Amino acid sequence: MITGRNVLLGIVLSIFVGFSLYSILDSTPASSKQRNIGKQSEDIVEIDPWITEVIPAGGSLYGIMENNGIPLREIATITYQFGDYIDVSTIQPGDTLKIRLSDDRQKIEAMTFVQEPTVRHQFKVQGDSLVYIQEKLPTRMETKLITGNLEGTLSESLASKGLPNSDVQQIINALESKIDFRRRAKSEDEYQILADLRYFEGKLISGGKILYVQYKGKSTGTHELFRYEDPNPKSVLTGLYGPEGKIVRSSSGGGVGYPLAHIHVRSKFGRRIDPVYGNWAMHQGVDYKASHGTPVMAVANGTVTEAHYAGGWGNQIRIKHPSGLITQYAHLSSIGVKRGQSVKKGQIIGRVGSTGKSTGPHLHFGLMKNGQWIDPSNLKMVASEELTVIQLKDFNIQKEAILTKLRSFLSPPTVSSHP
Ligand SMILES: [Zn+2]
């Protein structure tokens, strides 16, 4: 467990202009300023103390810190607490991380994480804790109906309407599970999209909501998708659904993946000679060969139920999936998620290591059903994600509201003239 996590100062400042963040942070008690002693010396050297890095495709915050030579222990401490403030499942390539290091480059003093132009997550390290301030710049939402005919690919057509890439991708992913675009899409096909669009300084930015999608083609037939928004803001269920509330997901979004990019089984589930004690014992999972530091990924969407050091398991993560099954990732060198956090399939949750009862770096991967360890080769069972009866009711209410909105766009009420 990391100490000092309880000293958390979460301040949300909407629009703050005109004064520097650090003038606020420096008004904290003198006792927490020890590390700054001697910093305000006479000569001011014109060096930008901030390292600015954009997360590359396939990269991570962890990787950026590692590449800058920050000690692993420091990275683990910081990234662990980071999850208290940032939904790490939303971190993606293109996000920017700024880090300010101590003079000996052993400690992180402050960080700013910019995920989108309108939000700045600012951190300052005090003792063992992160002090967090969020700066939010105002955006404007507007509901619009976007219609058109296919010109080139659907992705090109939608991008030409100014839709942000993330929205385009969401629409394509959902439709691809229903339509074979390569073979069936024709240039006269029609699309209709109702969306709450998000504007920042007059420009369309991501973070809008796609409410409704209709795609109509001679050879594709007509397909409709409706947004379902789960009341839990972290729910992985929020997204586009067919008219009956059936989940539509492309292969990239749903199903079950593997915990490592390359899979080499070292030891299977079942009875075996214990590698540490030499006696016969039950092996409660699968061991995959992997070198120290290899990224470990969640195999399916779910919620982290355990993320801590646990005796023989060493650093261990457990994830509960919507099906009720639990997956386990053990002997990790580092843990990148925290308890209660939602994770998505393929998200990096930690790194391979050899902590706990282990003879060398590997990943122990376990699968639990109703409190029993079962053979992880039954993995397919993890995937099923369906709306519950209550959620389905909620979906239908939301669908009606969307249809009402849609009708108001399709047949705008005539302005009645005064009698
Ligand atoms: Zn094992």
Side-chain angles (χ1 to χ4, degrees):
M1 276 295 172
I2 311 295
T3 55
R5 285 189 52 231
N6 42 351
V7 195
L8 302 175
L9 185 57
I11 309 166
V12 176
L13 293 182
S14 331
I15 324 165
F16 86 58
V17 203
F19 49 93
S20 124
L21 165 71
Y22 295 103
S23 63
I24 302 172
L25 287 171
D26 278 345
S27 64
T28 47
S31 60
S32 60
K33 290 167 88 178
Q34 284 150 331
R35 288 223 313 253
N36 288 337
I37 289 170
K39 276 228 126 174
Q40 308 281 51
S41 58
E42 54 287 275
D43 38 79
I44 295 150
V45 187
E46 294 267 333
I47 293 172
D48 185 2
W50 291 89
I51 299 165
T52 301
E53 298 252 18
V54 177
I55 300 178
S60 65
L61 294 182
Y62 198 100
I64 284 177
M65 294 182 188
E66 227 175 355
N67 292 342
N68 278 284
I70 300 167
L72 294 180
R73 179 182 298 237
E74 177 75 357
I75 298 176
T77 309
I78 296 292
T79 51
Y80 186 79
Q81 294 182 63
F82 197 72
D84 285 334
Y85 307 103
I86 310 285
D87 179 356
V88 296
S89 67
T90 64
I91 296 173
Q92 53 188 354
D95 294 350
T96 302
L97 180 68
K98 296 178 82 166
I99 309 168
R100 200 183 68 209
L101 293 178
S102 58
D103 293 340
D104 61 5
R105 298 180 66 86
Q106 296 299 295
K107 288 268 175 197
I108 293 171
E109 289 183 336
M111 292 190 300
T112 301
F113 181 60
V114 184
Q115 223 171 359
E116 56 162 38
T118 63
V119 182
R120 256 144 238 178
H121 305 281
Q122 322 230 30
F123 298 89
K124 191 176 188 190
V125 179
Q126 280 182 353
D128 285 335
S129 297
L130 289 180
V131 177
Y132 175 65
I133 288 186
Q134 188 186 88
E135 184 185 4
K136 248 185 187 163
L137 304 171
T139 59
R140 183 174 61 85
M141 298 289 278
E142 196 182 329
T143 309
K144 278 194 176 167
L145 182 69
I146 299 168
T147 58
N149 290 87
L150 206 61
E151 287 162 35
T153 64
L154 179 59
S155 159
E156 288 162 356
S157 309
L158 296 178
S160 75
K161 300 274 179 184
L163 272 182
N165 193 34
S166 52
D167 292 344
V168 172
Q169 217 41 57
Q170 190 197 354
I171 294 167
I172 305 276
N173 284 347
L175 283 175
E176 264 178 349
S177 65
K178 306 201 147 203
I179 299 169
D180 179 356
F181 280 107
R182 276 197 168 162
R183 297 180 50 207
R184 304 245 173 250
K186 300 266 157 34
S187 61
E188 61 273 28
D189 291 2
E190 292 166 31
Y191 60 85
Q192 230 176 52
I193 288 147
L194 184 70
D196 287 340
L197 297 173
R198 188 156 176 253
Y199 294 87
F200 176 59
E201 293 173 346
K203 272 193 279 184
L204 259 179
I205 60 164
S206 62
K209 294 173 178 177
I210 304 296
L211 303 175
Y212 171 81
V213 177
Q214 188 198 72
Y215 189 93
K216 211 189 225 171
K218 243 189 204 139
S219 121
T220 60
T222 300
H223 298 276
E224 285 182 305
L225 303 169
F226 295 87
R227 178 184 178 84
Y228 169 68
E229 190 164 325
D230 197 85
N232 172 3
K234 286 187 160 183
S235 172
V236 293
L237 290 172
T238 294
L240 292 168
Y241 289 74
E244 272 80 50
K246 289 258 167 62
I247 287 178
V248 288
R249 279 194 207 282
S250 70
S251 51
S252 59
V256 177
Y258 285 104
L260 299 169
H262 303 284
I263 291 293
H264 304 283
V265 176
R266 187 167 95 178
S267 177
K268 287 186 185 171
F269 182 86
R271 262 168 66 83
R272 67 165 181 181
I273 301 273
D274 186 290
V276 174
Y277 299 118
N279 55 313
W280 277 97
M282 189 62 191
H283 186 223
Q284 310 277 34
V286 176
D287 289 346
Y288 294 119
K289 272 186 224 173
S291 53
H292 185 96
T294 305
V296 174
M297 300 171 287
V299 298
N301 295 345
T303 305
V304 176
T305 57
E306 288 183 34
H308 54 82
Y309 193 92
W313 295 124
N315 287 322
Q316 177 202 224
I317 297 170
R318 293 190 188 187
I319 298 173
K320 187 167 188 171
H321 302 283
S323 57
L325 296 189
I326 290 168
T327 52
Q328 177 203 24
Y329 314 75
H331 309 306
L332 304 173
S333 59
S334 69
I335 291 174
V337 291
K338 64 184 288 285
R339 191 163 175 246
Q341 185 185 324
S342 294
V343 291
K344 295 208 163 129
K345 177 192 166 189
Q347 185 183 328
I348 295 171
I349 52 173
R351 302 267 165 173
V352 169
S354 186
T355 54
K357 191 186 144 201
S358 167
T359 54
H362 74 283
L363 175 69
H364 172 96
F365 178 69
L367 179 61
M368 188 182 266
K369 187 188 182 186
N370 302 328
Q372 297 282 319
W373 293 114
I374 61 170
D375 188 341
S377 52
N378 298 321
L379 248 186
K380 284 201 180 67
M381 296 148 65
V382 188
S384 68
E385 284 171 2
E386 292 294 332
L387 295 183
T388 63
V389 176
I390 294 164
Q391 289 165 334
L392 200 55
K393 230 180 212 171
D394 203 12
F395 168 79
N396 283 317
I397 294 167
Q398 295 185 26
K399 186 176 114 180
E400 282 313 310
I402 290 170
L403 284 171
T404 306
K405 249 184 203 174
L406 181 66
R407 280 191 282 268
S408 76
F409 273 94
L410 293 174
S411 52
T414 46
V415 182
S416 57
S417 52
H418 289 288

